[in-house]
C-alpha cells in the first residue's frame, strides 16, 4: 500500500507514488507539500534584437538571459520543463496564443515521451571504427550499430525501440542512459565489436582508441587529386592519395590527363574502378587514409620498366595530409625515400588546411506518436497533415526540426542547437524530449485543437516559475510566419 501522504504522478505510465519531499523515479516530478511539481523550471526563449548577432555564445548554453538585449514581444514558449501529459487524450500542458505580426498564433508544447527514438551520430574521421552493421556497446550492453559511412565521416545509429524495450532490462536502461547523455551534450564511451573504442560528445572532436581526432579528410583520394592536381603539376611526377575507399593516382586521373601529366608506369594493387581511381588497395584500419597501412609502399607493384625512369619523383599522401612521404626512383626503379621538397611540403600543408576540424554531431530522431498528437488535437491525423503541409512548424526547445517525408511525424533535430539539458527520461525506459507545434490560431481551430485550453502568452510570461533565456541566434525564430506548401485540407 502506498504511503497515505504519497501523491500519485500521472505524467507517464510508471504512475509513481511520491512521498512528501521526495521525487519520482525520473527525478522530474516531486511531492512538494502535497502538491505535484515539475522540478526543472519551464523555459521561455527571448528573441535576440539583431538576428544573426551572437548575443550569447551558444556553446555557453547555461548562461541565462541578461534582460537587456531582447524585444519584450519576441517570447517563445518552449516545451523544456513544461511537463508531460498522460494518457494520450489529455490536452498538452501549455497551449499558448500570441499575436505575431497581426496574426493570432498558437504554440502547443509538451515534453514528449519517446519509446521510438534514437540518435544518429556522425563522427568526422577517416579511421575505420568497425565493420558496417557491427554492434555498438556501452557499458557492455548493445545500444546500436555501425551504419553506412558518409563522406569523411563514420556513422552510428544508436537507440531505437528494439534496444530500449526488446532486450533485457539492463540493455534498455543503458541504452536510455547513453541516449540521454549524448542528447544533453555529455560524452559517451562506446565500443564497436570488431573495431575501435570511441568517445563521442556533441560538438566535440571524437576520440578514437584514446587518440583525439584533429581533422576530417579533405575528400576521397580521387577528389584530392582533382582539387590539388594543378598545385602538384610540374613539382612532382606522380602523386598517390591513399584512401580506404578511393585511392587516387595523378598521372592516370582525368585531372592529370587534362593537365598533360605524362604516364609514369606506376602500378597499384587493388581494384581499378575508372582511370586513376582504385578501390580496396588495403584493408580498413586506423592508419594511412583510414586503411591499415603503416607503410604505403605495400600498395605499389613494381613500376613498369618501359615507362618509368630513374629519378621519377613520387609523393604519397593520405586524405588528411596527416601522413606523407616522398620517393625518387633509383637506377633499378626502386623507391628511395627522400626529404619532402619545400614546395611539396607546402602542398601537403594546403591539403591539411582544407581539412575541417573533426567533430562528433548528434541528431535526435523520434516519432511523435499518440500522446503527443492527441495532446494537440482531438483528431490526431489532422496534425500530421498540417505538419506535412507546413502549416504547423515543429521545433524542439526552439530548434528547428527536420520532418521526414512519408507517414507520421518523424523528425530529427541537432541537439547542439537546443538549450542545455533539454532532455530527460522515464524508467519505462524512454527518452523525454521537448516538442513544440506552432500554427495560426485559425488553423489550430480547423484541425480540432483543444481551443478551450488556449491561454494567452501574457498569462504565463511574467510568472516566476518560468525562466527566460536568449534564443540561439543561429536558429530561425520559431514564431516567424510559416510558408505553407499548400492550402489547408
Ligand atoms: S517516472 Fe516521472 S513522470 Fe513518470 S510517473 Fe514517475 S515521476 Fe511521474
Amino acid at each position: 500500500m502506498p504511503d497515505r501522504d504519497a501523491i500519485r504522478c500521472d505524467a507517464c505510465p510508471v504512475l509513481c507514488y511520491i512521498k512528501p519531499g521526495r521525487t519520482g523515479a525520473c527525478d522530474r516530478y516531486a511531492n512538494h507539500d502535497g502538491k505535484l511539481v515539475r522540478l526543472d523550471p519551464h523555459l521561455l526563449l527571448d528573441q535576440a534584437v539583431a538576428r544573426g548577432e551572437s548575443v550569447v555564445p551558444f556553446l555557453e548554453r547555461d548562461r541565462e538571459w541578461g534582460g537587456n538585449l531582447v524585444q519584450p514581444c519576441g517570447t517563445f514558449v518552449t516545451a523544456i520543463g513544461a511537463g508531460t501529459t498522460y494518457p494520450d487524450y489529455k490536452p498538452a500542458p501549455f497551449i499558448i496564443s500570441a499575436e505575431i505580426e497581426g496574426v493570432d498564433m498558437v504554440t502547443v508544447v509538451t515534453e514528449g515521451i519517446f519509446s521510438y527514438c534514437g540518435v544518429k551520430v556522425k563522427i568526422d574521421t577517416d579511421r575505420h571504427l568497425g565493420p558496417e552493421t557491427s554492434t555498438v556497446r556501452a557499458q557492455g550492453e548493445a545500444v546500436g550499430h555501425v551504419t553506412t559511412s558518409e563522406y569523411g565521416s563514420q556513422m552510428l545509429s544508436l537507440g531505437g525501440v528494439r534496444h530500449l524495450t526488446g532486450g533485457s532490462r539492463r540493455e534498455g536502461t543503458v541504452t536510455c542512459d547513453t541516449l540521454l547523455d549524448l542528447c544533453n551534450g555529455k560524452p559517451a564511451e562506446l565500443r564497436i565489436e570488431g573495431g575501435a573504442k570511441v568517445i563521442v560528445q556533441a560538438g566535440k572532436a571524437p576520440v578514437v582508441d584514446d587518440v583525439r581526432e584533429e581533422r576530417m579528410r579533405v575528400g576521397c583520394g580521387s577528389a584530392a587529386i582533382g582539387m590539388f592536381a594543378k598545385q602538384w603539376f610540374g613539382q612532382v611526377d606522380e602523386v598517390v592519395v591513399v584512401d580506404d575507399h578511393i585511392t587516387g593516382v595523378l598521372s592516370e586521373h582525368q585531372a592529370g590527363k587534362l593537365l598533360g601529366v605524362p604516364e609514369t608506369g606506376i602500378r597499384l594493387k587493388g581494384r581499378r574502378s575508372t582511370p586513376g581511381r582504385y578501390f580496396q588497395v588495403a584493408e580498413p584500419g586506423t592508419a594511412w587514409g583510414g586503411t591499415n597501412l603503416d607503410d604505403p609502399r605495400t600498395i605499389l607493384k613494381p613500376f613498369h620498366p618501359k615507362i618509368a625512369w630513374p629519378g621519377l619523383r613520387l609523393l604519397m599522401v593520405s586524405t588528411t595530409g596527416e601522413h606523407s612521404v616522398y620517393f625518387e626512383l633509383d637506377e633499378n626503379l626502386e623507391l628511395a625515400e627522400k626529404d619532402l621538397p619545400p614546395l611539396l611540403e607546402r602542398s601537403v600543408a594546403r591539403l591539411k588546411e582544407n581539412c575541417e576540424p573533426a567533430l562528433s554531431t548528434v541528431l535526435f530522431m523520434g516519432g511523435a506518436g499518440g500522446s503527443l498528437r492527441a495532446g494537440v488535437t482531438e483528431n490526431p491525423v489532422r496534425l500530421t497533415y498540417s505538419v506535412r503541409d507546413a502549416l504547423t512548424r515543429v521545433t524542439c526547445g526552439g530548434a528547428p526540426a527536420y520532418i521526414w517525408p512519408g507517414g507520421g511525424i518523424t523528425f530529427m533535430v541537432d541537439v547542439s542547437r537546443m538549450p542545455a539539458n533539454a532532455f530527460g527520461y522515464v524508467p519505462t525506459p524512454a527518452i523525454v524530449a521537448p516538442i513544440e507545434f506552432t500554427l495560426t490560431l485559425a488553423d489550430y481551430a480547423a484541425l480540432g485543437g483543444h481551443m478551450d485550453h488556449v491561454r494567452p502568452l501574457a498569462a504565463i510570461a511574467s510568472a516566476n516559475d518560468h525562466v527566460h533565456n536568449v534564443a540561439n541566434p543561429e536558429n530561425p525564430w520559431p514564431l516567424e510566419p510559416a510558408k505553407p506548401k499548400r492550402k489547408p485540407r
Side-chain angles (χ1 to χ4, degrees):
M1 278 292 289
D3 191 306
R4 216 189 263 190
D5 296 332
I7 52 176
R8 200 170 83 159
C9 173
D10 61 356
C12 93
V14 178
L15 300 175
C16 297
Y17 281 98
I18 310 174
K19 291 182 187 170
R22 306 290 287 271
T23 61
C26 65
D27 289 333
R28 295 189 307 132
Y29 286 90
N31 178 341
H32 183 67
D33 292 339
K35 224 175 129 201
L36 184 70
V37 291
R38 176 73 176 88
L39 282 173
D40 305 296
H42 181 205
L43 182 70
L44 310 185
L45 293 177
D46 289 302
Q47 188 176 24
V49 169
R51 294 289 321 286
E53 178 190 336
S54 187
V55 176
V56 175
F58 199 62
L59 285 178
E60 297 172 33
R61 294 198 290 168
D62 289 334
R63 276 182 56 178
E64 287 186 6
W65 175 59
N68 54 346
L69 285 170
V70 297
Q71 293 173 344
C73 58
T75 296
F76 179 71
V77 178
T78 79
I80 299 169
T84 309
T85 50
Y86 187 79
D88 304 359
Y89 60 76
K90 287 186 185 168
F94 290 92
I95 304 176
I96 301 299
S97 65
E99 189 188 306
I100 312 293
E101 296 178 17
V103 179
D104 287 328
M105 303 290 291
V106 65
T107 301
V108 184
V109 314
T110 191
E111 289 183 299
I113 299 172
F114 292 89
S115 303
Y116 292 85
C117 74
V119 295
K120 308 296 175 211
V121 185
K122 172 172 168 284
I123 303 172
D124 300 336
T125 182
D126 247 4
R127 288 175 227 285
H128 180 68
L129 300 182
E132 226 167 83
T133 75
S134 293
T135 298
V136 177
R137 293 186 180 275
Q139 300 173 48
E141 297 292 336
V143 298
H145 64 273
V146 178
T147 186
T148 318
S149 62
E150 298 296 344
Y151 200 84
S153 310
Q154 309 291 326
M155 303 292 295
L156 307 181
S157 179
L158 308 181
V161 70
R162 193 174 66 82
H163 290 294
L164 282 167
T165 68
S168 65
R169 173 165 279 278
R170 184 172 148 75
E171 178 179 331
T173 304
V174 171
T175 300
C176 190
D177 290 349
T178 305
L179 296 180
L180 188 61
D181 283 346
L182 287 170
C183 289
N184 279 337
K186 296 183 182 144
E189 183 177 306
L190 306 168
R191 285 179 186 272
I192 295 161
E193 278 184 6
K197 177 182 88 176
V198 58
I199 299 172
V200 290
Q201 182 174 8
K204 297 274 180 349
V207 179
V208 181
D209 285 336
D210 300 319
V211 178
R212 185 168 297 278
E213 189 61 280
E214 299 288 336
R215 305 247 149 212
M216 69 186 294
R217 69 182 187 167
V218 65
C220 70
S222 169
I225 292 280
M227 291 162 82
F228 298 102
K230 262 192 170 171
Q231 299 177 36
W232 288 321
F233 182 56
Q235 307 301 328
V236 66
D237 300 306
E238 186 64 278
V239 179
V240 176
V241 182
V242 179
D243 176 24
D244 177 38
H245 305 129
I246 308 170
T247 290
V249 177
L250 176 65
S251 65
E252 296 179 2
H253 194 279
Q254 182 70 356
K257 292 277 179 229
L258 288 178
L259 289 168
V261 176
E263 284 183 55
T264 60
I266 195 165
R267 292 189 293 196
L268 256 71
K269 295 175 186 165
R271 181 159 67 83
R272 190 166 181 246
S273 156
T274 53
R277 301 168 74 254
Y278 289 82
F279 298 163
Q280 300 156 13
V281 296
E283 292 297 318
T286 55
W288 275 69
T291 70
N292 62 345
L293 295 171
D294 289 319
D295 181 355
R297 282 175 290 201
T298 54
I299 67 171
L300 299 179
K301 296 180 192 170
F303 276 72
H304 198 297
K306 291 201 173 139
I307 304 173
W309 61 94
L312 184 151
R313 301 162 299 171
L314 167 67
L315 169 67
M316 297 188 83
V317 63
S318 66
T319 42
T320 54
E322 183 185 345
H323 302 91
S324 60
V325 63
Y326 174 73
F327 303 102
E328 289 180 8
L329 293 190
D330 65 15
E331 291 303 316
N332 301 316
L333 301 183
E334 299 284 343
L335 295 168
E337 187 173 339
K338 304 259 169 142
D339 288 342
L340 204 60
L343 273 171
L344 291 184
E345 241 175 56
R346 251 176 269 157
S347 77
V348 172
R350 172 64 62 85
L351 191 152
K352 269 190 194 166
E353 183 192 330
N354 275 270
C355 297
E356 294 176 65
L359 289 179
S360 304
T361 32
V362 176
L363 297 196
F364 174 77
M365 183 165 174
S371 52
L372 278 175
R373 292 184 296 153
V376 179
T377 160
E378 288 165 359
N379 192 0
V381 75
R382 300 208 69 166
L383 176 65
T384 311
Y385 294 149
S386 179
V387 168
R388 197 92 47 75
D389 295 345
L391 296 167
T392 295
R393 173 174 290 145
V394 182
T395 52
C396 295
Y402 172 77
I403 309 295
W404 275 75
I409 303 174
T410 302
F411 65 93
M412 287 202 301
V413 59
D414 176 355
V415 302
S416 62
R417 297 180 76 159
M418 297 171 64
N421 295 318
F423 291 83
Y425 78 101
V426 290
T428 52
I431 289 289
V432 175
I435 188 161
E436 301 103 21
F437 300 95
T438 300
L439 63 168
T440 66
L441 194 61
D443 285 340
Y444 189 53
L447 62 77
H450 303 291
M451 296 301 287
D452 47 347
H453 286 77
V454 175
R455 288 183 274 170
L457 174 64
I460 69 154
S462 56
N464 55 13
D465 52 348
H466 307 284
V467 295
H468 289 253
N469 269 14
V470 174
N472 179 351
E474 287 169 16
N475 288 340
W477 181 238
L479 292 174
E480 269 169 15
K483 295 189 179 71
K485 284 192 212 159
R486 56 180 102 119
K487 286 194 180 142
R489 294 171 201 233

